[in-house]
Amino acid sequence: MSSAATPGPASVSGSLCLTLITLILPIPGISATVQVSTPPVVEAELEKPISIPCVPEISTPSRMRYIQWFVMEKNNRQRIYFQDGKSSTIDNDTDYTDRITVDKNYTLTIDHVKLGDERTFLCQVGAGPAGSGEATTELKVYDAPEMPEIFRTDTSISVMKKSPAEIATCRSRNGYPAPIITWYKDRTPLQAASKANDKMYIVPQTTQEPSGLYTISSTLYYLPEKKDKDSKFYCEVSYRMPQREDKMKESDRISVSITYPTENVEFLIQPSVLKETDTMMMECKSDGSSSVVYTFYRVLDGMNEEEVLDGTDNTMEINGVNRMDSGVYGCKVLDFDVPDEFYSNQTVKINYLDPIALIPEGPYNFTEGDRNVKVYCNAQGSQQTSVVWTKHKKTVVSSTNGLRLPVVTFDDSGNYSCNVTIPSVPHLTRQRVISIIVEGPPQVNCTEKTFHKNGPHVNLTCVFKGFPASEVTCNVKKAPIIRHHPQNNYIVVSELILPLTMKVLSVTCNGTNVHGSNAHSFTVHRELMGVPTTGHPTPDVSHSRSSGGVVIVVIIVCILLLAILGAVLYFLYKKGKIPCGRSGKQDISRPDAHDNIVVEVKNDQKVPEETVLLQGVNGEKKLASDQ
């Protein structure tokens, strides 16, 4: 007889049915039974504790007499525990003497489960006149295996082989029961057979260690293809743990050395754009992985012949190429796994740019005033050139091959650079510098400036342009200070500082070179600059003509502003906006009287400008009639 049972703390597997054994004792007038239930199967993890419940059911009230736990040794029972009333005994000299306990509910607990515990346990309950009953439980033991290890073959595998080759071996140790190994390629499981064939198979092996645990291994044999050169192989070990929990562990991923023959050859040249003096690098690439021999060659011009070049493995370089190195270059590959040779080549063009030619060649000496002067610059090259003329290395003066000066001036003197490039070829450029000299008689531009330093002085400065550089003299005893321009050798600056001790100062400075001369005369009037003609001027009286003119302009502007102000006040007065009597007097004792004061100036009175301005602005002076 069987019935459903509620498992205790132990893990239960298999059917939920519980084994029931019923013993009916024929007692006159009474039909009493004892039923015992235990889980059919209990799963335990190695070295962990496990509990097996035992639940008795007695049909009539009866006092319990005893309970016993047995283990099955083949077809024999071996008792490991006995309890009668309040006394209990763990049997000696058994595998469980030191590892079991039984609680008040008759549940058996086993500590440190071993592989030898995978056997049948029996619980028996006796109830006196009601008889006795018993039930059995199968204990299953599990242990997780170690991480799988993978060992790949040390030799390369050719895709030219006709049968599968050994790829790798996977091994996992100390599992229980024996786990299962599955092979993968790029996360795709390999459905490998265990028998040899012409595509793929595995050779499994299982070994039980002295401990009773299992070590399993699996060797994969596989016929690779070229597409497998980047594939990753690995293995997975799957196993079961208590509670019907399926788990797995993965090995490391490995690559397999696969050799395959050449199918295509690529010939590369660096840099992609070459010019004279460059180093040309050549490289030959084969898409195969088997052993090959590389040969570099050049096709001779006008001949269907090849000149073999010395290379190193699959590379070669030619230093300092020139235009004569242009031509067809290539490489060929000999693969011992296939009968054919493979070729690839390119046409190489070495770019060049010849030295610059100038028309006319020079020297470039011109006279100030010359017209329509032209200098042409050009260079022959392997491709279309670009020409730019610059002055002083930065100012672009022409973007064509012709430098044109419509009218030559001294400012056209200097160094000019002709730069010729091939735009499509980086760093291929030529440069040539010419010096243009403009000759002519001096041109003069002078300025005068007065100042006061321990008395009035005047600074007379002249700039002479001419080539050769002008020699400057002035008709005074003091020699001028001469400065030559740091960049333009045709410019000379003359500076002469003189005291103003005379009423009229007249000075003439003359610049002369081989082509002529030019002079400038200065006339400085002492009194026009506010400087007394006799005595010594005070330090705050020195004025130049330009500063006196500024004062006069300021006075005129002030007079105009005052006239406009008077017109506005008169207009307001006529409109009645200003409450003034005809006498023109106001009571200035009121706080706002100052804002409405009008200044009246008669024609026969001479009022200084400063007085009028102060009255108009401040409104604090009284009229003559009010004083």
Side-chain angles (χ1 to χ4, degrees):
M1 182 180 297
S2 62
S3 63
T6 302
S11 302
V12 181
S13 67
S15 172
L16 294 178
C17 293
L18 301 177
T19 303
L20 301 177
I21 300 177
T22 305
L23 296 178
I24 303 175
L25 298 179
I27 300 175
I30 299 175
S31 178
T33 62
V34 177
Q35 293 183 340
V36 179
S37 61
T38 60
V41 178
V42 173
E43 296 179 338
E45 187 174 351
L46 189 66
E47 297 298 331
K48 300 291 180 66
I50 190 66
S51 296
I52 305 174
C54 178
V55 181
E57 294 182 3
I58 302 173
S59 61
T60 60
S62 176
R63 188 174 182 179
M64 287 289 183
R65 294 298 183 185
Y66 69 89
I67 178 173
Q68 298 184 99
W69 276 99
F70 298 89
V71 294
M72 302 300 295
E73 292 284 351
K74 297 183 180 179
N75 294 325
N76 300 320
R77 298 182 180 185
Q78 181 184 15
R79 195 181 70 177
I80 59 175
Y81 177 82
F82 175 79
Q83 178 182 331
D84 184 6
K86 294 183 179 181
S87 64
S88 62
T89 301
I90 297 176
D91 290 281
N92 295 322
D93 301 326
T94 70
D95 291 338
Y96 302 95
T97 300
D98 299 323
R99 293 194 295 129
I100 63 171
T101 59
V102 179
D103 64 13
K104 63 181 181 180
N105 295 321
Y106 316 120
T107 297
L108 174 68
T109 299
I110 305 173
D111 291 331
H112 305 292
V113 171
K114 301 178 180 179
L115 289 180
D117 295 334
E118 190 171 75
R119 53 174 63 174
T120 302
F121 289 78
L122 185 146
C123 177
Q124 185 186 74
V125 178
S132 65
E134 60 185 35
T136 60
T137 296
E138 294 293 329
L139 179 61
K140 297 293 185 182
V141 180
Y142 296 89
D143 191 26
E146 297 175 3
M147 287 292 296
E149 300 176 286
I150 190 166
F151 307 93
R152 65 181 171 189
T153 182
D154 293 332
T155 59
S156 297
I157 304 172
S158 174
V159 298
M160 306 298 289
K161 289 178 65 68
K162 302 299 182 182
S163 60
E166 180 180 337
I167 299 296
T169 297
C170 178
R171 182 171 60 204
S172 179
R173 298 178 180 273
N174 299 325
Y176 192 89
I180 299 173
I181 290 179
T182 303
W183 283 96
Y184 286 81
K185 186 188 77 169
D186 298 329
R187 305 197 67 83
T188 300
L190 298 176
Q191 304 299 327
S194 57
K195 294 183 179 180
N197 57 61
D198 59 357
K199 180 58 182 176
M200 175 179 57
Y201 62 92
I202 62 170
V203 176
Q205 183 179 1
T206 302
T207 303
Q208 189 168 22
E209 305 291 346
S211 62
L213 301 175
Y214 289 97
T215 294
I216 60 171
S217 65
S218 176
T219 302
L220 174 65
Y221 291 83
Y222 181 75
L223 182 61
E225 301 176 13
K226 183 178 180 180
K227 64 181 180 180
D228 296 325
K229 62 185 179 66
D230 298 320
S231 294
K232 300 292 183 180
F233 291 84
Y234 66 98
C235 63
E236 172 192 281
V237 58
S238 55
Y239 57 97
R240 172 166 287 189
M241 294 297 287
Q243 303 276 358
R244 292 182 175 271
E245 185 177 9
D246 293 324
K247 293 190 174 183
M248 52 80 68
K249 294 179 180 179
E250 292 181 352
S251 70
D252 295 334
R253 283 143 173 83
I254 63 169
S255 298
V256 179
S257 177
I258 298 175
T259 60
Y260 42 91
T262 300
E263 295 178 353
N264 298 286
V265 171
E266 184 179 12
F267 181 60
L268 303 175
I269 294 179
Q270 293 294 335
S272 56
V273 179
L274 287 160
K275 65 180 184 299
E276 288 187 322
T277 72
D278 280 348
T279 296
M280 180 172 66
M281 295 291 301
M282 292 181 286
E283 182 179 9
C284 194
K285 287 187 175 182
S286 166
D287 66 350
S289 63
S290 54
S291 298
V292 297
V293 176
Y294 297 94
T295 304
F296 291 90
Y297 62 90
R298 178 184 179 181
V299 178
L300 299 177
D301 292 341
M303 304 174 62
N304 193 19
E305 296 182 5
E306 297 176 356
E307 177 188 1
V308 177
L309 305 175
D310 294 331
T312 303
D313 195 15
N314 69 325
T315 61
M316 179 184 174
E317 67 178 39
I318 301 177
N319 297 316
V321 295
N322 58 57
R323 67 192 70 183
M324 301 304 297
D325 292 321
S326 298
V328 177
Y329 291 81
C331 72
K332 57 184 177 180
V333 175
L334 175 61
D335 192 327
F336 295 102
D337 288 342
V338 290
D340 298 328
E341 283 188 320
F342 299 86
Y343 288 82
S344 180
N345 57 55
Q346 283 190 39
T347 299
V348 176
K349 181 178 182 180
I350 309 299
N351 291 281
Y352 61 89
L353 186 61
D354 288 337
I356 292 176
L358 295 173
I359 301 175
E361 278 291 339
Y364 305 99
N365 292 347
F366 304 111
T367 301
E368 197 269 340
D370 286 351
R371 294 182 176 274
N372 203 23
V373 172
K374 296 180 181 179
V375 179
Y376 292 97
C377 163
N378 208 345
Q380 297 296 321
S382 57
Q383 298 187 47
Q384 183 67 38
T385 61
S386 174
V387 182
V388 175
W389 283 91
T390 59
K391 186 177 183 182
H392 303 313
K393 299 182 179 180
K394 56 183 179 180
T395 304
V396 177
V397 294
S398 176
S399 297
T400 65
N401 65 334
L403 173 64
R404 181 173 178 270
L405 304 177
V407 178
V408 177
T409 67
F410 288 120
D411 292 336
D412 293 326
S413 299
N415 292 327
Y416 293 78
S417 175
C418 173
N419 301 277
V420 181
T421 61
I422 295 180
S424 58
V425 183
H427 312 298
L428 185 55
T429 181
R430 295 278 189 175
Q431 184 184 70
R432 190 162 176 184
V433 178
I434 65 172
S435 179
I436 292 181
I437 298 174
V438 179
E439 299 189 15
Q443 298 175 357
V444 62
N445 183 21
C446 298
T447 59
E448 58 185 67
K449 181 179 179 181
T450 59
F451 63 95
H452 192 279
K453 184 178 181 181
N454 297 326
H457 289 73
V458 64
N459 185 327
L460 307 177
T461 302
C462 289
V463 178
F464 291 90
K465 291 183 179 180
F467 193 84
S470 303
E471 294 183 2
V472 181
T473 57
C474 299
N475 62 343
V476 292
K477 294 182 179 180
K478 184 178 180 180
I481 299 173
I482 304 299
R483 296 192 302 273
H484 293 272
H485 196 281
Q487 295 179 346
N488 302 324
N489 58 359
Y490 59 89
I491 295 179
V492 174
V493 179
S494 166
E495 184 179 33
L496 184 63
I497 300 176
L498 299 173
L500 288 175
T501 58
M502 303 173 60
K503 182 177 181 181
V504 177
L505 177 64
S506 296
V507 178
T508 299
C509 290
N510 184 57
T512 304
N513 65 12
V514 295
H515 299 290
S517 63
N518 201 345
H520 179 82
S521 296
F522 298 93
T523 301
V524 183
H525 296 273
R526 180 185 177 103
E527 62 275 10
L528 292 180
M529 290 179 285
V531 181
T533 56
T534 59
H536 297 285
T538 58
D540 58 345
V541 182
S542 176
H543 299 285
S544 66
R545 286 181 293 176
S546 61
S547 61
V550 172
V551 172
I552 293 173
V553 171
V554 170
I555 293 174
I556 293 174
V557 170
C558 291
I559 292 173
L560 290 175
L561 291 175
L562 186 59
I564 294 172
L565 178 60
V568 171
L569 293 175
Y570 180 75
F571 175 76
L572 294 176
Y573 166 72
K574 295 296 288 182
K575 292 293 185 178
K577 300 296 183 178
I578 301 177
C580 296
R582 292 185 178 275
S583 62
K585 296 182 180 180
Q586 297 185 37
D587 184 2
I588 63 174
S589 63
R590 299 195 314 273
D592 58 347
H594 293 286
D595 296 334
N596 297 319
I597 294 177
V598 178
V599 179
E600 182 178 347
V601 181
K602 296 183 179 180
N603 293 334
D604 57 349
Q605 288 181 311
K606 294 182 178 179
V607 181
E609 289 180 349
E610 292 81 354
T611 303
V612 174
L613 290 174
L614 289 173
Q615 289 174 347
V617 173
N618 300 323
E620 295 179 353
K621 293 290 184 177
K622 293 183 179 180
L623 296 176
S625 60
D626 294 333
Q627 293 180 352

